[in-house]
Structures are given as C-alpha cells and as structure tokens.
Amino acid sequence: MCGIWALFGSDECLSVQCTSAMKIAHRGPDAFRFENVNGYTNCCFGFHRLAIVDQLYGMQPLRIKKFPYLWLVYNGEIYNHQTLKKEFEFTDYQTKVDGEILLHLYDRFGIQKMASLLDGVFAFILLDTANRKVFLGRDTYGVRPMFRLLTDNGFLAVCSEAKGLIDITHSMSSPATITPFLPGHFEVFDLKPSGKVESVQMDRFHCCTQEPNHAVYDTVKNLHSGFALESVKSNIRSLFENAVRKRLMAHRRIGCLLSGGLDSSLVAATLVKLAKEEKLKYPIQTFAIGAEDSPDILAARKVALYIGSEHHEVNFTPEEGLKAVDEVIFHLETYDITTIRASVGMYLVSKYISEKTDSVVIFSGEGSDELTQGYIYFHKAPTAKVAAEDSVRLLKELYLFDVLRADRTTAAHGLELRVPFLDHRFTAYYLSLPEEMRQPKDGVEKFLLRDAFKGLNLIPDEILWRRKEAFSDGMTSVKKSWYNSLQDQMETEVNDSKLEKAPKTFPHLPPRTKEAYYYRQVFEKQYPGRAGWLSHYWMPRWINATDPSARTLSIYKPDKDQ
C-alpha cells in the first residue's frame, strides 16, 4: 500500500504542484520521493512508500539498468512475481521488489499481456521514454485506487486518491474533470515532445467472470471438473486457501480484521492455520470493534478463542463514531450513505492498529457478500439468473463502495489491506458455477460457501451459520444501534426545510434523508462541485427501499431483536 502521483505536461512550476502530492502522505509513511523525468522538464513522479517487500530497493519510481528508458510507479502487490520470473526465465533481475516483474513483462509482451498476467492488486503508471508512451492500469476490482485528470490540451495528472488532484493548476479556462480509473482496464497515451499527452487506447484486460490468464501458471493443482456438489465444495476450499496463502507475502507483521461474521472468520481461521504451516515467527493478531455487549464483539471473541489468535478488542461508542464522521468523509471522497456508515468502525479500528500494534498488513473479508450473494435482499431475487447478474454488477461496482471503504479507512492510517475473497481465480471459479447453486437456500444466504466449510472444525458451527447482521449494526450495543444513534444525531443537525430544498441544493443525486443530507453537506465542503464522483447510491434491489441498511427491510431478522 503506497501513494502514487504523477504529472505529464504541467503548465505550472512543478515545485508548486508537488504540494498536492503531500495530500496522500498517509498512504506511505516510510519514505517520500519526488523525481523529474530526464528530458521532460514538466513531467514528474511523486511516491509515498509503505515498505512491505524488499526494504532496500523498494523505492520508486522503479528504474533498472536493463531498461533505463522505463519509469514505473505502482501501488499494490503482485503475488505471482516469483512464478512469472521463473516461467519466462527473466534472469537479469536487479531487485527483490515484486513490481520489477512489470518492466520485464512489458518489455517482452507489451502492455495488455503484461497487465493480464499479473495476479494481485495494483494501480500503475508506466512511462516509456524510448517509445514516448505513458500507460495506466488498475486491477480487476480496483482494490488499489487511482484517479486521473486530463485537460483538453493534454495535461495529465494521476494520483492514488482524488484529493491529490483537486488543487492541481492548469492553463485551461474550463475546469478539468477528475475521474476514478476503471478497474480491469489499461490506457495508452502518446507522449509529445512538449510533455503533453494524447489518449490513444483504453481497453479492458480482465473481467471478473473470465478465468484470468495467469491461472495457467498458478500453483493450485487437482481441481475437480464438473459441478457435482462435493467436487465444487472441495474446489472452493482449495482456491480459498490458495488465495490466503499467496497473500502471506510480506516482510511486515500480518494481522486480520475479525467481526465474528462468516467472511472475516473464514479469513482469520485460514490465516492462522497457514501462518503455523509457513512457520511465521509471531502469532496472528485479530482485531474487533464494537460496544462491550455488541453481537460482533461477542462473536469475534468466540472465534479468536477457537482459532488461537492474539485478539484485540476496540471499544466503540456512537459518540466517538459521530465525532469521526467528517474525517472519514475526507478520506473516503464519497457521500454514499452505507459506505460512510460502515467506514466509521473500520477507520477507528485501523487507527487503533496503527497506534497500538506493529501489524501493518491487514487481511479482511471484503468482496464475499458481492460474490456469494450475501446481502439480505438476495432472498427476494426473482430468478437465479437475475441474482447471478446482480452479483456480477456488485463486483464491478466494488471500487465505488466496499473496496473504496476498505482501502481508504486502512490507508488513512498507513496500513495495507489484503482481500482473499477477491482473488481472481477464486472469484472466476465461483461465478462459473451454476446459477441455482449460488443462491440462498433454506432461508440462508451464502449457503454454498457455508456448506463448503461444514464439518471441518475450522470455525465454530454457530459462526459458520451465523446470519448476516445489518450494515454496521453488529458492532453496536444491544440497547441502541449505531444506525439509530446516527438518525437521532441527524435530526438535530439538519432541519426539515433544508431537506425539502435538497433537490434544488443538490440536483445530482439529491439526498432523501437527513443523514444523507448531512453527509452530502460535509462532502461538498471538502470537495466542492465533485458530486459526480458518485454515479448512484448503494441500495438493495427488488424491494422498495429508501435506505441501504438491511435493518430497514421487512425481511431483516437480526440475531437479537433490537
């Protein structure tokens, strides 16, 4: 997890522009470098480093003697870099950095094949001065963020977070739009002698429903063919364990977020098991956040005891949560309701990890609900086909919602997130299964995933079959939920007449509740005129919903009725 920033064809003095690069300093607390490009006085790179792999040579822009004309900044981890190095016999390696593989692959195969062979999470900016090209690329689910600003006269600015671009100055009279770079895509620009660029190609290199190109070089063997239930369950277990194992690549301490729900419990239990097999020299730390009597805290405690992790509990109060909301919106760069609600706990637990422990690489259960139809509203899907289509839609939109939340809340505190449920092979396999197989069954969502781990004693049975808590409700007191605390607070923050005028005040996606209005107000103060970054609110389907929380749905039945 690092922060990347680059300008091509700046009209303003670079020493003035580079102050913008400091706005993402939280992403890389270990080191900072600012570097001009030889022969292009108005092009430069900025890099904030969080050192995870190769402490000595990991600084960027990455340049090696063999390719003096290539400059690379990237944020991410390439889990199969050793496999590819061996497979293609790249012998003249200069560093131990996982990203060096991009330079060798690009030189041999070109940009499209290079991107499609990477098993990992990444956002990259690659400059080839010999061929006068600039390339941008982002992983399949957008686990690593990247934004771009391009003016009509060819000035390109790129950054891990949009906040590093909003104060960039340029000579155009019309304002330049800042857009999130599309996941699973790469873009090619011609670089002119003036340092300005022109976009010449934008293409997809991988879609979540396709078996990834790098699968043929993967280490998982003996996958069963066909869709017999026992074969499928065995494949799910093999691919999931493989997804966790490959993510152990780190020179820094590994920990895991643990809510006591199905997804984080499977990740934590598998992580603890593999850490023992790989003989890691330290116990895995797990982290839960919640009020003392909250369902999540109690369930997480049970799991931690069962799997034998070094467990930490962070006490959460609605007052503390409310105090953090403005800060959270600044880091998220969104006003989506459920994203903000669910981010507060994750932001506060990340703060604790950063301040009180030495864990830096943090595993988490993101992506499972989208992949395995875990949201409560999937019970209402009209057909298996429609449910399967919605699952793919959710995965493609992750970069706007849950993946955005997971990256920004951890990156705000200099942590690096790892999400095994979004492993390319695991997701492609799960999505290839018959549609009926993936639906909720017997009134239980994620039935197939639960069934795959049944009888293994990996996690306690009651956790394996624990129902999904409504968003962000699991971490608050049985007496009063985080959702209800927010509603009460917003009653005092936003009056009725403001809400009535919302469609005029905020014509793009006007807020319909006081809570949504408050978030929008804070967002507009921090990022005026940037409401277009969000194309739509996250909302349940097939139900007449005005609020994204499952607790407002008639089909929601929490563990304890609150």
Side-chain angles (χ1 to χ4, degrees):
M1 202 279 305
C2 301
I4 60 175
W5 183 87
L7 304 183
F8 300 94
S10 173
D11 302 311
E12 173 69 82
C13 168
L14 292 180
S15 59
V16 174
Q17 301 277 45
C18 88
T19 56
S20 282
M22 300 319 290
K23 290 200 175 163
I24 58 161
H26 51 270
R27 295 190 71 87
D30 294 333
F32 172 66
R33 179 184 281 176
F34 182 73
E35 196 166 324
N36 291 50
V37 178
N38 315 344
Y40 292 91
T41 53
N42 56 2
C43 299
C44 65
F45 290 98
F47 179 69
H48 295 274
R49 182 168 191 223
L50 178 68
I52 301 291
V53 175
D54 194 348
Q55 308 279 15
L56 184 59
Y57 291 109
M59 206 49 197
Q60 298 182 33
L62 184 60
R63 302 181 66 204
I64 59 174
K65 287 175 188 154
K66 185 174 184 188
F67 311 118
Y69 47 88
L70 296 183
W71 305 61
L72 172 71
V73 286
Y74 76 101
N75 164 211
E77 280 69 45
I78 312 303
Y79 304 121
N80 64 343
H81 71 113
Q82 300 279 20
T83 308
L84 295 175
K85 180 182 170 184
K86 211 177 290 170
E87 182 65 35
F88 299 116
E89 297 173 348
F90 296 137
T91 48
D92 36 8
Y93 243 62
Q94 196 172 309
T95 73
K96 293 195 180 82
V97 180
D98 51 318
E100 185 178 333
I101 195 71
L102 275 76
L103 303 176
H104 296 274
L105 290 171
Y106 167 71
D107 174 66
R108 186 162 312 173
F109 300 119
I111 195 72
Q112 181 150 6
K113 187 168 179 184
M114 176 205 95
S116 72
L117 286 173
L118 302 175
D119 182 7
V121 293
F122 54 85
F124 67 78
I125 307 164
L126 176 63
L127 166 66
D128 178 345
T129 53
N131 295 295
R132 290 204 179 147
K133 299 278 184 199
V134 175
F135 304 95
L136 306 181
R138 190 177 179 192
D139 68 75
T140 307
Y141 297 109
V143 174
R144 292 292 176 261
M146 186 160 68
F147 288 80
R148 80 198 246 302
L149 173 157
L150 184 62
T151 65
D152 293 344
N153 70 343
F155 165 42
L156 173 68
V158 188
C159 188
S160 292
E161 298 181 21
K163 56 181 70 65
L165 299 177
I166 52 174
D167 294 327
I168 293 283
T169 54
H170 54 86
S171 58
M172 304 300 290
S173 51
S174 55
T177 55
I178 296 168
T179 52
F181 193 83
L182 275 180
H185 283 72
F186 69 92
E187 187 168 14
V188 184
F189 298 86
D190 282 340
L191 178 67
K192 298 171 180 175
S194 64
K196 294 275 198 280
V197 302
E198 183 187 354
S199 178
V200 292
Q201 186 188 359
M202 174 82 166
D203 266 322
R204 182 187 283 283
F205 63 84
H206 183 231
C207 170
C208 58
T209 52
Q210 301 163 331
E211 169 100 313
N213 285 356
H214 55 72
V216 291
Y217 311 115
D218 204 351
T219 48
V220 175
K221 302 285 182 275
N222 308 326
L223 280 189
H224 305 283
S225 54
F227 297 126
L229 185 59
E230 289 311 312
S231 300
V232 166
K233 282 157 59 173
S234 168
N235 289 348
I236 287 172
R237 290 192 297 270
S238 299
L239 287 170
F240 181 68
E241 189 165 301
N242 181 49
V244 176
R245 189 187 300 278
K246 69 178 76 159
R247 283 166 175 76
L248 292 174
M249 180 182 95
H251 292 160
R252 303 285 287 273
R253 185 166 186 170
I254 295 170
C256 188
L257 299 180
L258 178 59
S259 70
L262 172 70
D263 310 325
S264 65
S265 299
L266 286 176
V267 172
T270 308
L271 178 58
V272 168
K273 175 181 165 232
L274 295 181
K276 283 176 188 155
E277 286 176 22
E278 301 287 329
K279 297 189 168 52
L280 287 197
K281 292 183 173 68
Y282 52 81
I284 296 292
Q285 295 179 324
T286 48
F287 304 95
I289 184 165
E292 284 167 25
D293 64 345
S294 65
D296 278 5
I297 280 284
L298 301 175
R301 196 179 294 164
K302 200 170 280 172
V303 175
L305 196 63
Y306 190 88
I307 65 175
S309 62
E310 183 194 298
H311 193 53
H312 296 243
E313 292 178 358
V314 182
N315 190 33
F316 174 84
T317 63
E319 294 71 36
E320 195 185 4
L322 292 163
K323 232 188 278 175
V325 165
D326 290 25
E327 239 172 272
V328 166
I329 293 172
F330 169 74
H331 279 287
L332 292 177
E333 305 170 333
T334 187
Y335 49 93
D336 178 63
I337 306 153
T338 191
T339 303
I340 295 166
R341 263 184 214 160
S343 290
V344 171
M346 199 161 176
Y347 180 81
L348 293 172
V349 76
S350 297
K351 184 172 193 259
Y352 170 91
I353 296 169
S354 166
E355 290 173 358
K356 303 277 198 292
T357 80
D358 58 346
S359 284
V360 178
V361 175
I362 305 299
F363 279 64
S364 185
E366 266 71 37
S368 174
D369 283 326
E370 290 75 11
L371 177 67
T372 65
Q373 304 186 15
Y375 293 115
I376 310 266
Y377 75 81
F378 273 99
H379 289 288
K380 292 285 187 187
T383 66
K385 186 177 190 301
V386 169
E389 284 166 1
D390 203 57
S391 182
V392 171
R393 174 190 70 85
L394 287 170
L395 285 164
K396 286 180 176 172
E397 291 178 359
L398 267 171
Y399 76 105
L400 295 169
F401 303 111
D402 276 26
V403 149
L404 179 146
R405 161 178 61 75
D407 172 81
R408 301 303 195 287
T409 54
T410 49
H413 301 290
L415 304 176
E416 187 201 282
L417 185 82
R418 300 213 171 159
V419 280
F421 274 109
L422 291 176
D423 182 76
H424 302 163
R425 272 199 85 187
F426 181 72
T427 51
Y429 176 73
Y430 207 96
L431 293 172
S432 74
L433 298 172
E435 291 159 352
E436 291 74 19
M437 219 174 198
R438 292 182 270 145
Q439 281 198 288
K441 190 178 164 194
D442 303 336
V444 179
E445 62 281 352
K446 296 193 267 208
F447 187 89
L448 177 61
L449 180 66
R450 298 175 198 270
D451 201 30
F453 287 93
K454 188 175 75 179
L456 297 184
N457 299 324
L458 187 65
I459 59 174
D461 252 16
E462 68 215 80
I463 303 294
L464 187 62
W465 298 99
R466 184 186 175 202
R467 295 294 306 274
K468 184 169 177 59
E469 287 283 346
F471 285 127
S472 44
D473 274 355
M475 66 178 188
T476 46
S477 169
V478 177
K479 298 177 195 81
K480 187 173 188 185
S481 80
W482 169 227
Y483 171 82
N484 287 331
S485 302
L486 277 168
Q487 306 319 305
D488 292 352
Q489 177 69 16
M490 298 315 161
E491 275 299 323
T492 64
E493 296 279 353
V494 180
N495 61 38
D496 293 347
S497 74
K498 270 186 178 174
L499 190 59
E500 277 162 31
K501 292 177 194 148
K504 271 192 181 149
T505 318
F506 305 118
H508 176 72
L509 298 182
R512 292 165 66 184
T513 64
K514 291 185 176 183
E515 182 190 5
Y517 191 100
Y518 178 77
Y519 296 159
R520 184 62 171 274
Q521 205 169 251
V522 173
F523 175 86
E524 291 289 348
K525 198 168 142 194
Q526 293 173 344
Y527 303 107
R530 304 290 183 182
W533 289 346
L534 186 65
S535 53
H536 60 286
Y537 291 112
W538 194 102
M539 283 286 170
R541 293 269 162 124
W542 315 307
I543 285 172
N544 186 17
T546 53
D547 187 284
S549 175
R551 85 165 16 251
T552 63
L553 306 180
S554 58
I555 54 173
Y556 174 55
K557 293 182 180 64
D559 277 0
K560 296 192 188 77
D561 239 333
Q562 294 172 25

